[in-house]
Amino acid sequence: MDSDLDIAFKEAFIEISKLKEAVAPDVMLKLYAYNKHANFGSNSPHYEKLDVRNAFKVNAWMQIKDMSSNDAKQEYIKLAKSLLNSKK
């Protein structure tokens, strides 16, 4: 059974996924990093082609490598709420 944190994280992900407006690249990288870390921990991603876009993603993810999965979920939720409230 999912914890309250897991449920809130999934709900935040769903709401962010519904956004139609553009989001600033630095915010998108943070959301990406928190999401990946919450789901996969600090396991390094493997890209067949490490282009500039993927390099930025990997860098964002590795910057939070010492964060716990639960902390990553909480930061994702906080950032998502802030972003969603600014779009209203």
Side-chain angles (χ1 to χ4, degrees):
M1 186 162 173
D2 288 338
S3 70
D4 289 344
L5 178 59
D6 291 328
I7 292 167
F9 175 70
K10 288 176 186 175
E11 288 173 353
F13 179 80
I14 290 167
E15 290 304 311
I16 285 295
S17 298
K18 291 178 185 177
L19 274 181
K20 302 288 187 223
E21 300 89 7
V23 176
D26 61 323
V27 174
M28 286 299 297
L29 284 171
K30 286 180 184 178
L31 288 169
Y32 172 84
Y34 293 141
N35 180 284
K36 287 296 184 182
H37 199 72
N39 286 298
F40 301 105
S42 59
N43 294 327
S44 179
H46 300 283
Y47 295 101
E48 289 187 25
K49 182 177 123 182
L50 192 59
D51 57 13
V52 172
R53 181 175 181 234
N54 287 333
F56 277 108
K57 288 179 172 181
V58 170
N59 182 48
W61 190 359
M62 292 299 104
Q63 287 181 23
I64 62 169
K65 67 181 167 84
D66 295 327
M67 182 180 282
S68 74
S69 176
N70 282 346
D71 286 345
K73 288 176 185 177
Q74 290 171 340
E75 289 300 317
Y76 185 96
I77 293 165
K78 185 170 36 172
L79 183 56
K81 284 181 179 179
S82 173
L83 183 61
L84 292 167
N85 285 337
S86 74
K87 299 289 182 183
K88 288 183 179 178

